[in-house]
Amino acid sequence: DAGVIQSPRHEVTEMGQEVTLRCKPISGHDYLFWYRQTMMRGLELLIYFNNNVPIDDSGMPEDRFSAKMPNASFSTLKIQPSEPRDSAVYFCASSRVSGANVLTFGAGSRLTVL
Amino acid sequence: KQEVTQIPAALSVPEGENLVLNCSFTDSAIYNLQWFRQDPGKGLTSLLLIQSSQREQTSGRLNASLDKSSGRSTLYIAASQPGDSATYLCAVGYGGSQGNLIFGKGTKLSVKP
């Protein structure tokens, strides 16, 4: 398995632009998570899905952020409009329904908003 | 609110030394605890997972312990090597849901040859 695949790896954009981050989880994993990592706040859970259904989005900062999972093999995290404070590394992770809760992380998408 | 703290924030040791990384959490009602490794510019790799009913887990030169009553976990690395240099993060599974991992900010380890 190729692991959790994220794209793009790096994105530089200007304030006000729309940003879409993509994630392909490991096949057979029923849970998908989006995290954000910054120096100040560390790793924070934004939202997670179970069987393509959003379960907890309480970590989504505000209405500018939205996430979808149209099928078991694809998810997007969208920021519209983007702001400089959104600059961070965004990680996607997936796991099986096992109770063991071992997450496999993607390599991350580094977003810079100018 | 659950908070996870890791001390020290950074650690530098000579090769071959045994070392301990510390993690503390404020709410003992956890259902598991994980240690991750993060290399620069990369994602996180899960090293060890300890369920709430367990006291420790071992993998090779790594040993993680869990003391729920005191809200503490340690990651012991034996005979450290330069390849162990990375940031180590502790994460607590909390709140009864599959996805609610609360992360510490990590300890950046540097092992000097």
Side-chain angles (χ1 to χ4, degrees), chain A residues 14-50:
Chain A
E14 292 187 347
M15 183 173 65
Q17 296 298 306
E18 178 179 292
V19 173
T20 300
L21 307 178
R22 298 172 177 82
C23 175
K24 176 177 167 44
I26 291 175
S27 177
H29 281 192
D30 295 311
Y31 286 83
L32 183 140
F33 310 86
W34 283 99
Y35 285 87
R36 178 173 67 176
Q37 186 176 38
T38 61
M39 290 289 293
M40 287 294 293
R41 300 174 68 91
L43 263 167
E44 301 172 287
L45 176 66
L46 299 177
I47 185 173
Y48 79 94
F49 296 82
N50 176 213

Side-chain angles (χ1 to χ4, degrees), chain B residues 75-111:
Chain B
L75 178 66
Y76 175 83
I77 302 177
S80 59
Q81 303 170 358
D84 295 331
S85 297
T87 297
Y88 291 81
L89 294 104
C90 164
V92 169
Y94 174 74
S97 76
Q98 179 75 2
N100 203 356
L101 285 182
I102 309 294
F103 281 83
K105 292 190 177 179
T107 294
K108 186 175 182 179
L109 173 66
S110 177
V111 181

